[in-house]
Amino acid sequence: MDIILKYDPKADILTMKLKEGAIRDERLLDSDVVLGFDKKGELVALEVWEASKRGLLKTLKDLANEKREIVETLLKKKA
């Protein structure tokens, strides 16, 4: 499974689903990060509250633009 990213702009929460599985237990870290674990105790998901204030949205946007530029460069080379 690929990592699934979701962002709720109203709540300013970035959610990352890391693997399949239901969340059975959650732990709060650093008062704005919630880790979700499955029944085996393995990390399934995490939420980052106030994601924009932490700079995560800018970082993800920069990363997406960088990856897009790489793909565009590769596509141009094939032509």
Side-chain angles (χ1 to χ4, degrees), residues 47-58:
E47 289 182 348
V48 180
W49 302 343
E50 298 183 343
S52 64
K53 292 178 184 174
R54 291 175 159 259
L56 290 176
L57 298 183
K58 181 184 178 327

Side-chain angles (χ1 to χ4, degrees), residues 2-44:
D2 291 330
I3 294 174
I4 299 170
L5 296 173
K6 293 183 182 181
Y7 177 65
D8 180 342
K10 288 183 181 179
D12 194 19
I13 295 175
L14 177 67
T15 304
M16 291 176 249
K17 180 82 171 182
L18 305 172
K19 63 179 253 183
E20 296 290 331
I23 296 173
R24 295 292 278 300
D25 184 31
E26 292 183 330
R27 293 186 199 143
L28 181 64
L29 297 179
D30 192 25
S31 75
D32 331 20
V33 177
V34 179
L35 303 178
F37 298 91
D38 64 11
K39 64 182 177 183
K40 295 179 184 177
E42 295 178 0
L43 186 62
V44 174

